[in-house]
Amino acid sequence: MLVLTRKPGEQIMIGEDIVITVMEGRGDGVRIGIEAPRGVSIQRREVVEAIAAANLAAAQAGPDAEELVAGLRPPVRKPPKEEAGS
């Protein structure tokens, strides 16, 4: 792990096309800006871990999970039938 000290306005480059800019320090946190190509996924680690845990729990819930989820979804509305001869 590379550990750097940066001041607001200073930047860090990752490769040739990712730029991290230190925006400001706030108490015990830092605001950063990230510039990257559209194809590069940028996610907060805690969100990725929460999604992975939810997916694992859903996979382990078994076949009854679909019935439980179905009760949470709004009912599917079918389009009205067209009258003959219209």
Side-chain angles (χ1 to χ4, degrees):
M1 174 187 304
L2 173 64
V3 179
L4 300 170
T5 301
R6 304 274 72 202
K7 295 177 183 175
E10 294 182 328
Q11 298 178 322
I12 300 165
M13 301 245 353
I14 299 176
E16 294 182 13
D17 54 1
I18 299 175
V19 180
I20 299 174
T21 304
V22 177
M23 306 304 284
E24 67 178 298
R26 287 185 170 182
D28 61 349
V30 174
R31 290 187 67 212
I32 61 171
I34 303 170
E35 295 176 49
R38 282 198 179 277
V40 175
S41 176
I42 301 172
Q43 302 290 331
R44 294 187 336 226
R45 183 178 189 148
E46 63 272 16
V47 172
V48 172
E49 289 173 351
I51 291 170
N55 288 341
L56 181 60
Q60 292 175 345
D64 296 335
E66 182 62 30
E67 293 174 18
L68 294 171
V69 172
L72 299 175
R73 292 188 200 130
V76 176
R77 296 183 182 198
K78 296 181 182 178
K81 293 182 182 178
E82 292 186 28
E83 293 182 28
S86 330

